[in-house]
Amino acid sequence: MNYGMLSDIELSYDRKTTILKNLNLEIQKGELLSLLGPSGCGKTTTLRIIAGLIEPDKGRFIFDGNDITRLPVHKRDFGFVFQSYALFPHMNVYENISFGLKMKNFSKPDIDKKVKNIAEICDIGEYLQRFPKQLSGGQRQRVALARALVIEPKLLLLDEPLSNLDAQLRVQMRTSIKRIQRKLGITTVFVTHDQEECFSISDRVAVMDKGVIVQCGTPEEIYSRPVNAMVARFVGFKNFFTPANAVKMGIQIPAGCTQICIRPPDIELCTQGSNITGTVEVRTYLGTGYQYEINTGIGTLSVSSSAEPPLEQGSTAGLVFKPAKIVFLDR
């Protein structure tokens, strides 16, 4: 169900630098939609337009049947979690979470009930009397999330909320965010540059590049069927070659294909019946296996393998491309 729509959004700074160009995006009710892309692609700017923190030069934002393009941020009833958490240092956790409810003039009994309920959902019930400086990064992140959720917003906006956490805690917190989002059924837009984080948490993903959305779909669709080389590189494809080189290796290519790509784990090492052979230039141990850089007649290819014993530097390797894992790009 279409809940919100950015239509033909454009934004430039100083009328010189284009940030967003003819951007169109649908937000479906109850989904967790992620904006994914490299730094400077426009994803945070898009989120701020949705929030009402920035007005676009052109285009409209239709939300729940209403044009709210020019509606002030404080009238949108959206929840926002910033990268820095933005907690009030002089307030304890209870006071931080209850701040928005007080601004909306809820009664003290209602505030108390709502704060304690969302604190339990976010697993911070035992920290209500602590101050932000007494909390870990993950606990502060949960407080920021609880503060955004307690007002029961129509839309939750998350701007790289996990980037300040260590790797292990990021994994734990993205699971928590997904669990809470599912439990409350709240429509959420999540900004990140981390494709693994994005795919693990999202219902749909919009990949951005240079101010436009280049592909939008489920994580599975984008991971398996990127529409162009930019998306393919961003989601883990490292080996690219031309149709002419593919034909030399016995790979059948469809009409209209401009480039072929494959991920390192989807190339097998073999001793015979290979598509191509090459020389091992670099071997890197990854814990679960090895990453090889192999010099071939079509360039250096990256191969991941757990096969033992590992290949030695300078040795000859045969490479077989798994047919089902080859991706053909038409642009």
Side-chain angles (χ1 to χ4, degrees), residues 42-267:
K43 55 187 184 296
T44 291
T45 301
T46 302
L47 195 75
R48 289 178 175 271
I49 287 176
I50 294 173
L53 297 169
I54 300 174
E55 283 193 8
D57 298 330
K58 296 180 181 179
R60 299 190 302 162
F61 178 35
I62 308 299
F63 184 78
D64 201 16
N66 300 306
D67 187 340
I68 65 168
T69 312
R70 311 299 170 189
L71 190 70
V73 59
H74 64 278
K75 293 185 177 181
R76 298 199 178 195
D77 198 22
F78 293 169
F80 206 119
V81 178
F82 297 91
Q83 181 177 346
S84 61
Y85 314 136
L87 300 177
F88 300 116
H90 63 289
M91 295 182 182
N92 63 25
V93 170
Y94 185 100
E95 292 166 335
N96 265 283
I97 297 174
S98 64
F99 182 81
L101 297 174
K102 291 178 179 178
M103 294 298 99
K104 292 177 176 290
N105 296 314
F106 278 79
S107 68
K108 287 186 177 180
D110 283 344
I111 289 175
D112 191 62
K113 180 179 179 180
K114 289 178 178 294
V115 169
K116 289 180 179 178
N117 179 59
I118 200 64
E120 289 303 315
I121 290 174
C122 294
D123 197 25
I124 51 173
E126 61 185 289
Y127 307 124
L128 291 177
Q129 300 307 314
R130 294 188 187 181
F131 288 84
K133 66 180 181 180
Q134 298 173 305
L135 304 175
S136 68
Q139 290 162 354
R140 288 196 294 270
Q141 203 270 351
R142 286 188 175 93
V143 174
L145 185 60
R147 185 178 62 181
L149 291 170
V150 75
I151 62 172
E152 299 178 6
K154 296 177 181 177
L155 184 65
L156 177 64
L157 307 175
L158 306 175
D159 186 11
E160 304 233 28
L162 309 182
S163 60
N164 291 330
L165 305 178
D166 62 47
Q168 184 176 357
L169 193 52
R170 282 202 303 271
V171 174
Q172 295 174 2
M173 286 310 306
R174 72 193 188 200
T175 302
S176 295
I177 288 174
K178 186 64 175 178
R179 173 181 56 81
I180 293 167
Q181 188 265 339
R182 284 280 192 229
K183 181 179 179 66
L184 299 178
I186 186 169
T187 309
T188 302
V189 180
F190 182 93
V191 163
T192 182
H193 65 275
D194 186 320
Q195 58 105 350
E196 180 181 339
E197 176 178 287
C198 174
F199 288 168
S200 70
I201 201 173
S202 307
D203 297 307
R204 285 194 307 137
V205 178
V207 183
M208 296 187 65
D209 184 38
K210 298 176 182 177
V212 300
I213 293 174
V214 293
Q215 186 173 1
C216 189
T218 66
E220 293 84 359
E221 289 170 344
I222 290 173
Y223 186 84
S224 302
R225 297 188 294 278
V227 297
N228 62 20
M230 176 269 157
V231 178
R233 286 190 174 91
F234 203 77
V235 298
F237 287 87
K238 292 185 178 180
N239 302 302
F240 293 79
F241 43 95
T242 65
N245 282 331
V247 171
K248 292 178 183 177
M249 293 184 291
I251 298 172
Q252 294 184 342
I253 59 173
C257 170
T258 61
Q259 204 169 23
I260 296 93
C261 60
I262 190 167
R263 286 188 172 88
D266 297 327
I267 300 177

Side-chain angles (χ1 to χ4, degrees), residues 218-322:
T218 66
E220 293 84 359
E221 289 170 344
I222 290 173
Y223 186 84
S224 302
R225 297 188 294 278
V227 297
N228 62 20
M230 176 269 157
V231 178
R233 286 190 174 91
F234 203 77
V235 298
F237 287 87
K238 292 185 178 180
N239 302 302
F240 293 79
F241 43 95
T242 65
N245 282 331
V247 171
K248 292 178 183 177
M249 293 184 291
I251 298 172
Q252 294 184 342
I253 59 173
C257 170
T258 61
Q259 204 169 23
I260 296 93
C261 60
I262 190 167
R263 286 188 172 88
D266 297 327
I267 300 177
E268 293 182 342
L269 301 174
C270 67
T271 56
Q272 57 184 356
S274 62
N275 293 107
I276 194 170
T277 60
T279 303
V280 177
E281 291 187 330
V282 178
R283 185 185 75 189
T284 305
Y285 182 57
L286 302 178
T288 57
Y290 296 87
Q291 177 96 6
Y292 299 97
E293 301 299 315
I294 300 178
N295 186 16
T296 74
I298 63 169
T300 300
L301 299 179
S302 295
V303 180
S304 298
S305 175
S306 58
E308 295 285 355
L311 298 178
E312 298 295 332
Q313 184 174 327
S315 63
T316 299
L319 309 181
V320 174
F321 300 93
K322 299 177 184 178

